[in-house]
Amino acid sequence: MLNRIFSLKKVAAVFTFMTAFASRSFASEANLIIPDLSSVGFFENAVDGKTLLTAGFFICVCGLLFGLYHFISIKNLPVHKSMKSISELIYETCKTYLVTQGKFIFILEILLAAIIVVYFGLLQHFEAIKVVTIVLCSIVGILGSCTVAWFGMRINTFANSRTAFASLKGKPFPLYAIPLRAGMSIGMLLISIELFIMLIILLFIPSDFAGACFIGFAIGESLGASVLRIAGGIFTKIADIGSDLMKIVFNIKEDDARNPGVIADCTGDNAGDSVGPTADGFETYGVTGVALVTFIVLAVSDPVLQVKLLVWIFVMRLIMLIASALSYGINSVIAKVRYATADKMNFETPLTFLVWITSIVSIIFTFAVSYLIIGNLDDGTLWWKLSLIISCGTIAGAIIPEIVKIFTSVKSAFVQNVVTSSKHGGASLNVLAGLTAGNFSAYWMGVTIIILMAIAYAISLQGLDSIMIAPAVFAFGLVAFGFLGMGPVTIAVDSYGPVTDNAQSVYELSLIENISNIDKEIEKDFGFKPSFSKSKILLEENDGAGNTFKATAKPVLIGTAVVGATTMIFSTIVMLTDGLTIGLENLSILHAPFLLGLIAGGAVIYWFTGSSNHAVTSGAYKAVEFIKNNIKLDGSSDKASTEDSKKVVEICTKYAQKGMINLFLVIFFTTLAFAFIEPYFFIGYLISIALFGLFQAIFMANAGGAWDNAKKYVEVDLREKGTELHKATVVGDTVGDPFKDTSSVAMNPIIKFTTLFGLLALELALVLAEKKALNAVLATIFFGISVIFVVRSFTDMRTNDEEK
């Protein structure tokens, strides 16, 4: 197959190019990039810091209890058995999917563990117990990602049926309150577990290899999140497209129970919009923290100052839990007073208020606690300078959602432009209008990020260079840290979407309206008369709000990934250049390897986008084929058989697995290959995938959000289901599905995994730098393997009419 695509001459030329770079000697630059925390003197000099961080365990436990309390409370909410049975079926299929992906993750862990053993054990001569501990930390990272993913999936499958049932009362408030409670439960538990593990590493693992354990943990959670995000994104959009296209083919309603693709769609909503984002969020907080810890150790020379800044970083993390819980409580009281008895409400209003109040409370807490902890550092002004820099990121957590809503909210001008274009130009102009929204959003999002980071940069010029090298880089890392200052709330509004989407599906699939004497049964068992017509309207309106806020969370997470990765990249540069004293001329486009690395990053991002979209397209083709051949609309049954529904789930799982294997292995082996070519080539590559990935992800996510809510506007506000206009918007939505929920969201963990794993790969390459021939051979082998999987990512997934 390779011979049909690449001539041997071209492949040989590429390998010759790689060999030339890999043969360069970088022995002088083979300093350890992974931080050695023994130089920090944490245990010797930070008794007060240890006390503060030990108290952090108590706060983490409180966060865990918060999450578990709401988990149990939501589980115990009233629900009719017809709806409960559907949500349990969704959970069982989700659980099977998660177990399948978990097995593959641990196969990949074997590859990761091998790299860790070779580097730390064979080349750095660490003691066996240390190497085992680092490997165990990577496993803990994986288990953490999988655990929070399961928790998010489980509570959301409780919440979807309870939300659907609550809608029968005809009041909108419970439809808002239940999904948000579920999301806050996930957010609080997620960050509490993350902090708990990082505190254990900091306090109880010997400082001479605690830094390596941080890296191992971060790579492990990044590995887990990458696989779950990629596979989940492919699965959910195969199912979504397969289910949605039936509305056009057979002119049936949304979530028609006779459609065997609907259960798979519901499973996908959790696999892609709950499992993936939850694991991704868990990883995001860990990776950003590790990036800042690494930078502080490398860039700050004073051991006492290092300790105080590390303590401050961890305390800021704890503060976000307190600020988010307090803000949620305040918002809940206000929302209940305003909407508890209302017959109509704008679901976006209290969600927006929650985001803003959390941002404000977090900023206040940041300044107050920073003054108490580091108020006496340096010249006495450091506390407010660092607080102001963090606040640039925290306020971004509120500003960015407002910008995203301009392009994705149901009644925004850009979404209305998509609808109007569809009226007069059908699916063609619908697609073009959606692309327009995505492109415009990337511009304004980029300008916003530039302004906030420029403010942080300006503050870093006010004396921070007296305590560290490259203060601007530290400032950028703190902006990313500030992005996460309202972490539980960001996760909560992101998780709101899959619950509202599933609630609508659960209602339809339960066929509750068709149950004999259901009115009397509900009144007898639950004490109220159901309002079916009002229920369906409220569920659809709430789904539109869920779509919008799913869209708002994506740029926050991708922005954090990029800025956090940038901090880690600069930490690597600090070590390569011996504290920015040598080799700086290599960080220039005049240094050919660096320029070529920049080009390579863009190439990989565009391949990744195409390959992930192709995986969805191929799987959706097979799903549509099966559904069309097996859907029964002749009145012989009022719902699809469980066997047919499971078959669609099986198709989605198969193609998600195939697509994810190719995607991940290309990233894995490309990272290894490029690290062995030349250090500055690799630095250029890392910078490039971060920047290309940022704008590609924003463009695709917001274009997809515009298409999605244009369809929702036609369905809910115009009430034109089944019309030509509706069909045009459904086509646009199916284009946007892999844009917003597969390719764009997968950029986040891929950027972070490449940066973190690349750190270890580059360490390995530098240690072997004197063995020129070996480096050249390894670079060639790894690149050759990656090219094989690049080719397979198309050929393995190619649709074929003759295929059976």
Side-chain angles (χ1 to χ4, degrees), residues 152-205:
M153 174 188 70
R154 177 69 278 200
I155 194 170
N156 281 351
T157 49
F158 283 144
N160 60 24
S161 56
R162 277 66 176 177
T163 302
F165 184 72
S167 71
L168 295 175
K169 294 183 178 180
K171 298 290 184 182
F173 181 72
L175 278 69
Y176 150 81
I178 296 172
L180 186 60
R181 284 181 68 187
M184 280 299 299
S185 176
I186 297 168
M188 293 293 287
L189 182 129
L190 178 154
I191 296 176
S192 296
I193 292 177
E194 176 76 49
L195 279 171
F196 193 86
I197 295 171
M198 294 188 75
L199 287 172
I200 287 176
I201 293 175
L202 187 63
L203 292 172
F204 299 110
I205 290 183

Side-chain angles (χ1 to χ4, degrees), residues 141-299:
I142 292 173
L143 289 174
S145 289
C146 293
T147 299
V148 298
W150 172 86
F151 182 86
M153 174 188 70
R154 177 69 278 200
I155 194 170
N156 281 351
T157 49
F158 283 144
N160 60 24
S161 56
R162 277 66 176 177
T163 302
F165 184 72
S167 71
L168 295 175
K169 294 183 178 180
K171 298 290 184 182
F173 181 72
L175 278 69
Y176 150 81
I178 296 172
L180 186 60
R181 284 181 68 187
M184 280 299 299
S185 176
I186 297 168
M188 293 293 287
L189 182 129
L190 178 154
I191 296 176
S192 296
I193 292 177
E194 176 76 49
L195 279 171
F196 193 86
I197 295 171
M198 294 188 75
L199 287 172
I200 287 176
I201 293 175
L202 187 63
L203 292 172
F204 299 110
I205 290 183
S207 55
D208 61 333
F209 70 105
C213 288
F214 272 127
I215 297 294
F217 170 66
I219 294 175
E221 61 181 348
S222 187
L223 171 63
S226 297
V227 171
L228 292 175
R229 243 318 187 185
I230 295 170
I234 297 171
F235 183 109
T236 185
K237 293 305 107 178
I238 291 174
D240 199 356
I241 293 172
S243 179
D244 277 357
L245 286 179
M246 294 307 103
K247 293 186 289 188
I248 297 177
V249 175
F250 296 110
N251 199 27
I252 57 178
K253 64 181 180 179
E254 181 98 13
D255 300 319
D256 194 303
R258 297 169 296 177
N259 182 354
V262 175
I263 287 294
D265 188 14
C266 293
T267 302
D269 286 337
N270 286 280
D273 294 336
S274 179
V275 169
T278 304
D280 189 5
F282 181 77
E283 174 221 14
T284 296
Y285 294 102
V287 170
T288 307
V290 169
L292 283 172
V293 167
T294 302
F295 187 86
I296 288 171
V297 172
L298 296 176

Side-chain angles (χ1 to χ4, degrees), residues 47 70 86-87 108 124 126 209 315 381 386 427 524 578 644 656 736:
V47 176
H70 285 288
I86 297 298
S87 65
L108 293 177
Q124 291 298 323
F126 276 33
F209 70 105
V315 171
T381 64
L386 296 184
K524 176 185 175 183
D578 195 18
D644 284 348

Side-chain angles (χ1 to χ4, degrees), residues 65 282 296 323 340 348 370 501 504-505 631 634-635 642 682:
L65 293 176
F282 181 77
I296 288 171
E348 291 187 12
S370 294
D501 196 350
Q504 189 176 2
S505 301
I631 192 170
D634 56 5
T642 302
F682 191 60

